[in-house]
């Protein structure tokens, strides 16, 4: 039998490890933020600002892999609805206990909406599309659309600079369009991943995931190479939910200890 239509067996450890690396970067990035902005650490501020340019890359990696995984899921709709419930819980908890850092449309909200959208797509249309030959122009087009729309939350289209086109201010008059990428006056979210431009990163992962589903990723179907990263990737949601309270508690303990030791 031709292997072109065969699905890979077992876990794709490369995805776990890449997701784990993204989670590792996220935890340290948020740790620097907590130390710098909540506890006034100059070292924390320095490293937070140093790594800020890299943040979209490891966030994008996480989103891309989530798109790939949609090709391997038995129920994207079920996964998306469960994740949406968790995301709304995060909004509730941060709104009650950390109103100054409330998360109204963060990465969990974004991923949940994308998964639900994948789950609502007509299965027959998806199966028909899967039988077509994979075309590299699909993720390439997603990359181009990401570059075109990455400035939408800031009020412009285009890659930036002289090539940018300002968008009408009326689009940003209402806070209801914030999930789309058009945050209105007074909108606040400590973690903000709107559909524009990030939906195109997710879509690029969905298109690329056809290769994984069809068994065309032989170079990536290997046993675990970095078990620690693989473990982080498998438990990404739990780590996301737990890491901020753990970081804050650790920073609080270190701050209290340093005050006791201070002359």
């Amino acid at each position: 039998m031709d292997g072109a239509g065969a699905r890979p067996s077992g876990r794709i450890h490369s995805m776990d490890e890449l997701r784990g690396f993204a989670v590792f970067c996220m935890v340290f990035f948020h740790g620097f933020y907590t130390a710098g902005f909540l506890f006034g650490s100059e070292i924390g501020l320095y490293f937070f600002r140093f790594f800020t340019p890299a943040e979209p890359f490891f966030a994008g990696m996480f989103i891309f892999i989530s798109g790939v995984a949609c090709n391997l899921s038995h129920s994207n709709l079920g996964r998306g609805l469960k994740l949406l419930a968790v995301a709304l819980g995060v909004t509730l908890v941060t709104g009650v206990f950390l109103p100054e850092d409330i998360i109204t449309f963060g990465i969990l909200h974004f991923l949940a909406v994308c998964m639900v959208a994948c789950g609502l797509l007509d299965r027959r249309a998806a199966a028909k599309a899967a039988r077509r030959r994979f075309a590299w122009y699909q993720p390439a087009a997603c990359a181009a659309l990401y570059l075109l729309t990455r400035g939408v939350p800031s009020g412009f289209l285009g890659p930036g600079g002289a090539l940018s086109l300002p968008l009408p201010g009326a689009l940003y008059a209402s806070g209801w369009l914030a999930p789309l990428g058009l945050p209105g006056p007074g909108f606040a979210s400590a973690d903000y991943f709107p559909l524009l431009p990030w939906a195109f990163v997710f879509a690029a992962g969905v298109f690329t995931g056809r290769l994984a589903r069809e068994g065309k990723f032989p170079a990536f179907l290997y046993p675990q190479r970095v078990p620690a990263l693989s473990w982080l990737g498998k438990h990404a949601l739990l780590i996301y939910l737990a890491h901020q309270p753990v970081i804050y508690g650790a920073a609080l303990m270190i701050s209290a200890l340093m005050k006791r030791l201070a002359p």
Side-chain angles (χ1 to χ4, degrees):
M1 177 178 175
D2 189 302
R7 291 182 57 161
S9 60
R11 294 192 69 90
I12 301 178
H13 295 291
S14 58
M15 289 204 302
D16 284 334
E17 292 174 3
L18 288 171
R19 188 189 291 116
F21 177 72
V23 168
F24 175 83
C25 293
M26 174 197 69
V27 169
F28 270 85
F29 187 72
H30 289 170
F32 295 138
Y33 171 85
T34 300
F37 288 94
L38 302 185
F39 288 88
S41 167
E42 290 296 329
I43 296 177
L45 281 173
Y46 172 81
F47 280 107
F48 175 80
R49 289 167 179 157
F50 180 82
F51 286 109
T52 292
E55 193 264 347
F57 292 97
F58 58 76
M61 183 192 304
F62 191 87
I63 292 170
F64 179 85
I65 293 170
S66 296
V68 172
C70 277
N71 289 273
L72 308 173
S73 173
H74 295 294
S75 176
N76 286 308
L77 181 60
R79 285 198 313 145
L81 291 175
K82 290 176 184 177
L83 188 59
L84 183 59
V86 173
L88 294 176
V90 169
T91 298
L92 178 63
V93 171
T94 55
V96 171
F97 296 102
L98 293 168
E100 69 282 1
D101 285 321
I102 186 172
I103 298 175
T104 52
F105 200 83
I107 195 166
L108 294 186
H109 302 74
F110 165 80
L111 291 175
V113 170
C114 289
M115 289 176 189
V116 168
C118 282
L120 292 176
L121 290 176
D122 182 70
R123 288 182 178 272
R124 287 173 297 175
K128 184 178 179 181
R131 289 194 294 270
R132 298 177 190 148
R133 185 177 179 182
F134 179 83
W136 286 104
Y137 74 82
Q138 294 166 329
C142 289
L145 289 169
Y146 169 81
L147 292 174
L148 179 67
T149 60
R150 67 176 180 172
V152 167
S154 300
F156 65 88
L157 277 177
L163 299 177
S164 299
L165 175 67
L167 292 171
L171 294 174
Y172 301 84
S174 171
W176 293 104
L177 296 179
L180 183 61
L182 306 169
F187 172 77
S189 186
D191 184 35
Y192 183 43
F193 283 86
L195 293 173
L196 293 177
W198 293 104
F200 295 115
V201 178
F202 188 90
V206 172
F207 287 128
T208 305
R210 293 180 186 177
L211 292 174
R213 183 184 55 201
E214 295 170 5
K216 295 179 180 178
F217 264 145
F220 294 94
L221 300 179
Y222 53 71
Q224 291 184 88
R225 292 180 176 174
V226 188
L229 289 182
S230 186
W231 186 90
L232 290 174
K234 291 175 185 176
H235 301 87
L237 178 59
L238 178 62
I239 293 167
Y240 179 88
L241 295 174
H243 81 284
Q244 280 288 40
V246 170
I247 289 172
Y248 188 85
L252 197 62
M253 291 175 59
I254 292 171
S255 179
L257 181 62
M258 290 180 68
K259 286 179 181 179
R260 282 180 170 270
L261 296 176

